[in-house]
Amino acid sequence: MNARNAEGRTALHKAAFWGHINILRFLATECKVNPNHQDYNGDTPLLAACYNGNLEIAEELISAGADVHGTEQGTPLSMVMNQLDDAFLDQSGKDRLRSLLQLLRRSGATS
């Protein structure tokens, strides 16, 4: 289950990026796929979830042991903070990102 594709991503990366919560839960809990695996760019499944502003996916990954401190590629906290500056983001999108920021901070993330 820790097989990688051409970009070095696992199935957990894909489930996190596309928001497939049931698949992510199965991979993280039943298959014990490493939630901190980095692809060839240094991205983790948690970074993928934060890139898409997916609070539910981020919660699952953190519960499965995902590192909230990030990699050389960046931190989940800084990724979410940068997205808050998006001029095209509507209020519900900003609220979702603020909730994600709160989750990351409660979980010990720093920028």
Side-chain angles (χ1 to χ4, degrees):
M1 276 299 167
N2 282 308
R4 301 177 184 199
N5 68 7
E7 293 84 28
R9 295 183 185 111
T10 64
L12 196 64
H13 280 92
K14 294 295 192 175
F17 183 84
W18 293 108
H20 297 299
I21 190 69
N22 292 328
I23 294 170
L24 184 129
R25 284 181 182 140
F26 174 76
L27 292 168
T29 59
E30 299 297 321
C31 301
K32 306 293 186 208
V33 176
N34 181 0
N36 295 307
H37 176 77
Q38 296 179 29
D39 67 12
Y40 297 141
N41 293 320
D43 291 331
T44 63
L46 183 57
L47 284 172
C50 290
Y51 176 79
N52 287 319
N54 195 319
L55 178 63
E56 185 179 22
I57 295 287
E59 288 173 327
E60 288 293 327
L61 288 166
I62 291 168
S63 293
D67 183 1
V68 296
H69 301 292
T71 68
E72 290 179 18
Q73 181 69 11
T75 68
L77 195 63
S78 63
M79 181 174 287
V80 174
M81 290 173 71
N82 289 339
Q83 290 183 54
L84 275 170
D85 294 332
D86 187 341
F88 298 105
L89 198 59
D90 65 10
Q91 190 59 47
S92 67
K94 289 183 180 186
D95 290 344
R96 186 182 68 246
L97 290 174
R98 286 187 188 103
S99 294
L100 188 48
L101 277 177
Q102 290 173 350
L103 168 69
L104 292 168
R105 287 183 176 137
R106 280 193 317 266
S107 301
T110 58
S111 54

